[in-house]
Amino acid sequence: GIEPIIYAADKEFTESISLISDGAECILIPKRIFKEHLSVTKLGIMQIKVERFPDCKQLVESLSNSIRWKNYKGNLVTDILKRINDKREPVRPNRLSSR
């Protein structure tokens, strides 16, 4: 996509880029020409609108956080349901008949 042009400091340029627009005809523009005609203003706007792909470390951290949250949530729900169930059980007095 367009990310390598916008964040050029992070990645090397490849020779070509594909931009896809809904309903528009597609044309091939060499990255070099695209970059030459890209104004600083347009580059700034694109940097705001285009999100960067997370790196491997960020993906692992996000997955780890998600797993910890799901485990915590599951344990919490189980504990709460157990407490609710314990409160609902009626206390049955020990009835001994004294005849």
Side-chain angles (χ1 to χ4, degrees), residues 21-88:
S21 176
D22 188 24
E25 291 186 30
C26 294
I27 59 170
L28 284 168
I29 303 170
K31 282 186 178 181
R32 179 185 54 80
I33 293 173
F34 184 80
K35 187 159 174 66
E36 285 174 7
H37 296 279
L38 183 63
S39 70
V40 175
T41 305
K42 293 290 183 189
L43 179 62
I45 291 169
M46 292 168 76
Q47 286 175 335
I48 292 169
K49 290 188 175 191
V50 174
E51 292 185 32
R52 297 176 114 166
F53 290 113
D55 61 21
C56 190
K57 182 180 177 183
Q58 291 169 322
L59 290 173
V60 169
E61 186 177 321
S62 179
L63 177 61
S64 180
N65 287 340
S66 178
I67 290 170
R68 278 196 307 271
W69 168 250
K70 286 180 181 179
N71 287 337
Y72 170 77
K73 184 173 70 169
N75 291 337
L76 183 64
V77 168
T78 300
D79 185 50
I80 290 171
L81 291 175
K82 185 177 181 240
R83 288 180 186 187
I84 291 171
N85 191 36
D86 289 348
K87 287 182 180 180
R88 285 186 180 171

